[in-house]
Amino acid sequence: MEEKKLNEMESLELITRMIDQTKKETAIGSGNVFLVWGYLCTFMSLVVCAMTFMTRKSGWGWLYIAIPFLGFLIAGLVARKTSKKYNSQATYQAKSIGSIWGILSAIFGAYAGICIITSVFHSAAVNVWSGMFLLGLLLPGIGTYATGVILKEDSVRMCGFIGCLFGLFFLKDFCNGSAITLYWAVLMAVAMVISLVIPGHILNNKAKKANS
C-alpha cells in the first residue's frame, strides 16, 4: 500500500517537472521570436509613417514587403542560436504553438503575395493593401492569444486580446472602404508593441526566472 502511494507521488512530481520544463523551453523560444517580429514590424511601420509624412508619397508602403524576408531570416537565426544555447528539444506545447503561428504566417504570406501581384498588374488597386493591414493587425493578436492559452499565461493572453481589438477597430474603416492613411501605420506600430513586443519580454522574463 505504501509502495503504491509512493509511486503516485513520484508520478505527480515527474508530470509537474515535465510541465514546468516545457513551459520554460517554450517561453524561451517564443519570447525571442515575438521580439524579432514585434520590433521589426514596429520599426518598419514607424519608418513608413515618417517617410510618407516627410515626402508626401505613398510609395514608402512598399517597405512592408521587406518584413517577411527579414523576419524569417532573423527569426530563424535567433531560434537556431536559442536552441543551441539551451539545448532544448521541441515539446508538444512548442509544436502546437509553432503550428498555430505557421498557419497564421501562411495566411498572411499568401495574401501579401496576392497584394504584390495585384499591384504589379493593376497599380490602381490600392485598396487591396487594406486587407493586408487588417490581417497584420488581427493575426498577431490571435497567435499571441493562443500562445497565452497554451502556456496558461494570463498576461500574454490579455496582450493578444487587446491586439485583436486593434484589428476589429480597423475593420470598421476596412468595411467602409477608407483609403490607407498615416494613422493606419501608427496603429500598426502600437498594435505590434502590444501584441508581440510586450508578450515577448514577458515570456523571456519568466524563462529567465525559471532558469535562475
Side-chain angles (χ1 to χ4, degrees):
M1 189 69 181
E2 292 181 359
E3 179 71 16
K4 183 179 180 181
K5 186 176 181 180
L6 180 62
N7 288 336
E8 290 177 352
M9 292 178 61
E10 289 178 345
S11 298
L12 181 60
E13 182 181 355
L14 177 61
I15 293 173
T16 302
R17 189 163 59 246
M18 289 176 64
I19 293 175
D20 291 339
Q21 180 67 16
T22 297
K23 290 182 67 175
K24 180 182 69 175
E25 292 175 354
T26 303
I28 293 172
S30 298
N32 290 334
V33 174
F34 272 50
L35 294 177
V36 169
W37 287 102
Y39 279 119
L40 178 60
C41 293
T42 301
F43 174 76
M44 200 64 71
S45 295
L46 293 177
V47 169
V48 170
C49 182
M51 297 307 297
T52 302
F53 178 77
M54 290 188 294
T55 63
R56 301 298 178 182
K57 295 181 180 180
S58 60
W60 291 102
W62 282 94
L63 288 176
Y64 278 114
I65 301 301
I67 291 179
F69 300 101
L70 292 176
F72 281 115
L73 175 61
I74 299 174
L77 294 175
V78 171
R80 184 177 179 182
K81 182 179 179 181
T82 301
S83 179
K84 288 183 177 181
K85 181 178 179 181
Y86 294 97
N87 193 28
S88 59
Q89 297 179 347
T91 60
Y92 177 77
Q93 285 184 327
K95 290 179 180 179
S96 299
I97 293 174
S99 297
I100 292 173
W101 282 101
I103 293 173
L104 296 179
S105 298
I107 294 174
F108 184 79
Y111 189 83
I114 294 175
C115 290
I116 296 174
I117 295 174
T118 303
S119 298
V120 170
F121 293 97
H122 186 46
S123 58
V126 180
N127 290 337
V128 71
W129 292 98
S130 299
M132 193 180 75
F133 267 88
L134 178 60
L135 291 179
L137 288 169
L138 276 175
L139 296 184
I142 294 173
T144 299
Y145 184 86
T147 300
V149 171
I150 293 174
L151 295 178
K152 293 181 172 58
E153 297 291 349
D154 292 336
S155 55
V156 174
R157 186 165 48 194
M158 181 58 65
C159 287
F161 177 74
I162 296 175
C164 290
L165 290 181
F166 273 85
L168 293 177
F169 181 74
F170 175 79
L171 182 61
K172 177 178 67 67
D173 292 340
F174 176 75
C175 292
N176 291 334
S178 301
I180 297 176
T181 63
L182 290 179
Y183 162 73
W184 291 5
V186 175
L187 187 65
M188 176 72 75
V190 175
M192 292 304 101
V193 171
I194 296 175
S195 298
L196 296 174
V197 175
I198 295 177
H201 283 295
I202 291 174
L203 291 176
N204 277 352
N205 287 336
K206 288 183 176 294
K208 185 177 180 181
K209 291 179 180 179
N211 279 289
S212 60

